[in-house]
């Protein structure tokens, strides 16, 4: 399978715990995006990387959220001290960026439930 | 404030008819607009891209229009089929090389 892969698919955690999600983009894609989606809403931008550089981070992303993309390959998104409001689907997307308008390929997402 | 609005209510249409979905935006000047399809529990899948200097784009049974004066894009599915039932999302490139998504419209095609 050469699509975007996200792990785990589902995560249930207790409030206050830390969680980490992984995203493996399509090979050779230089752009990687993280989005968050709640029920009935569209994906909400969190952050994106060009290779290993994190170029933009949403103001909505609190200090409890951090993302990395070491060596410009896979990426991790960590949420510290989870809160019930963090419950959502976390989507990763990648693209071979050649300029504006490049399509993004999304993974299946990681569904986080904070209890 | 910046807003991307899509029909919040589900759209039910009869098989074989043309489905028309609307994407309206305010306080954006996108150069590009994309449409995605999303099935329950899955990530969005890219369908079509339209540029600001293009009035219309077609792909098989899909057609997208982009009116930068009205700040609106219309997405049409002709000869709709039950398999077209999904949520459809519009997304704008708002100039910083990332896409901002609308809330999506749920389409249900009735057999």
């Amino acid at each position: 399978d050469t699509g975007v892969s996200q792990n785990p698919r589902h995560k249930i955690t207790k409030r206050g715990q830390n969680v980490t999600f992984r995203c493996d983009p399509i090979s050779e894609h230089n752009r990687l995006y993280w989005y968050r989606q709640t029920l009935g809403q569209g994906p909400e931008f969190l952050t994106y990387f060009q290779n290993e550089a994190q170029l933009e981070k949403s103001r909505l992303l609190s200090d409890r959220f951090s993302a990395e993309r070491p060596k410009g390959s896979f990426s991790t998104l960590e949420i510290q001290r989870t809160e019930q409001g963090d419950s959502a689907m976390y989507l990763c997307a990648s693209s071979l960026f050649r300029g504006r308008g490049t399509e993004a390929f999304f993974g299946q997402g990681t569904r986080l439930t904070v209890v | 404030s910046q807003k991307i609005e899509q029909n919040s209510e589900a759209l039910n249409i009869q098989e074989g008819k043309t489905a028309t979905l609307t994407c309206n935006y305010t306080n954006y000047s996108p150069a590009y607009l994309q449409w995605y399809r999303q099935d329950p529990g899955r990530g969005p899948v890219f369908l079509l891209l339209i540029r600001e200097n293009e009035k219309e784009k077609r792909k098989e049974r899909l057609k997208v229009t982009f009116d930068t004066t009205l700040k609106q894009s219309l997405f049409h599915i002709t000869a709709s089929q039950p398999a077209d039932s999904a949520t459809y999302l519009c997304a704008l490139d708002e100039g910083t090389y990332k896409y901002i998504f609308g809330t999506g419209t749920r389409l249900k095609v009735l057999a």
Side-chain angles (χ1 to χ4, degrees):
Chain A
D1 188 338
T2 56
V4 177
S5 176
Q6 290 189 248
N7 288 289
R9 291 292 311 279
H10 303 274
K11 178 73 178 177
I12 300 174
T13 191
K14 289 185 179 177
R15 192 174 51 187
Q17 297 293 305
N18 298 345
V19 293
T20 300
F21 309 141
R22 178 179 169 123
C23 172
D24 287 274
I26 293 173
S27 180
E28 296 178 358
H29 275 192
N30 52 6
R31 280 264 166 119
L32 187 147
Y33 302 81
W34 284 99
Y35 285 83
R36 176 172 64 189
Q37 187 174 27
T38 54
L39 201 61
Q41 300 296 313
E44 177 184 41
F45 172 78
L46 294 179
T47 189
Y48 82 93
F49 294 83
Q50 172 88 9
N51 299 314
E52 66 274 11
Q54 187 173 19
L55 296 188
E56 189 172 340
K57 192 173 168 179
S58 168
R59 285 171 294 153
L60 301 170
L61 217 58
S62 76
D63 291 342
R64 297 184 297 105
F65 288 72
S66 62
E68 292 183 341
R69 193 185 182 197
K71 302 178 186 177
S73 57
F74 72 93
S75 176
T76 58
L77 177 69
E78 181 184 16
I79 309 174
Q80 296 182 325
R81 304 180 304 281
T82 51
E83 301 172 356
Q84 286 189 320
D86 297 332
S87 295
M89 173 79 87
Y90 289 84
L91 293 163
C92 173
S94 71
S95 69
L96 182 59
F97 184 74
R98 299 185 208 88
R100 296 174 69 183
T102 306
E103 70 183 269
F105 294 81
F106 280 82
Q108 305 275 47
T110 294
R111 181 165 296 286
L112 173 66
T113 303
V114 181
V115 296
Chain B
S1 63
Q2 296 173 316
K3 263 196 262 187
I4 304 170
E5 291 180 324
Q6 296 186 249
N7 312 51
S8 56
E9 293 187 12
L11 179 64
N12 292 336
I13 64 163
Q14 209 61 42
E15 182 177 8
K17 300 291 186 187
T18 296
T20 298
L21 285 64
T22 306
C23 175
N24 293 300
Y25 57 91
T26 54
N27 296 325
Y28 284 108
S29 296
Y32 298 84
L33 188 146
Q34 295 181 344
W35 283 88
Y36 287 78
R37 169 185 172 138
Q38 186 172 27
D39 291 288
R42 305 180 78 92
V45 174
F46 173 80
L47 295 174
L48 278 169
L49 164 77
I50 188 165
R51 295 174 175 79
E52 62 179 342
N53 60 353
E54 296 175 319
K55 295 290 185 195
E56 182 180 297
K57 197 83 168 277
R58 290 176 186 261
K59 180 182 175 183
E60 297 172 352
R61 295 185 295 111
L62 309 180
K63 184 177 89 171
V64 173
T65 62
F66 192 9
D67 189 325
T68 55
T69 303
L70 291 179
K71 293 186 180 292
Q72 181 182 78
S73 174
L74 298 178
F75 177 80
H76 306 270
I77 306 175
T78 58
S80 59
Q81 304 165 359
D84 296 326
S85 298
T87 294
Y88 291 86
L89 299 155
C90 69
L92 309 182
D93 170 0
E94 54 102 22
T96 59
Y97 299 87
K98 67 179 186 285
Y99 277 82
I100 306 299
F101 283 82
T103 52
T105 298
R106 238 174 343 115
L107 172 69
K108 187 167 182 181
V109 181
L110 305 168

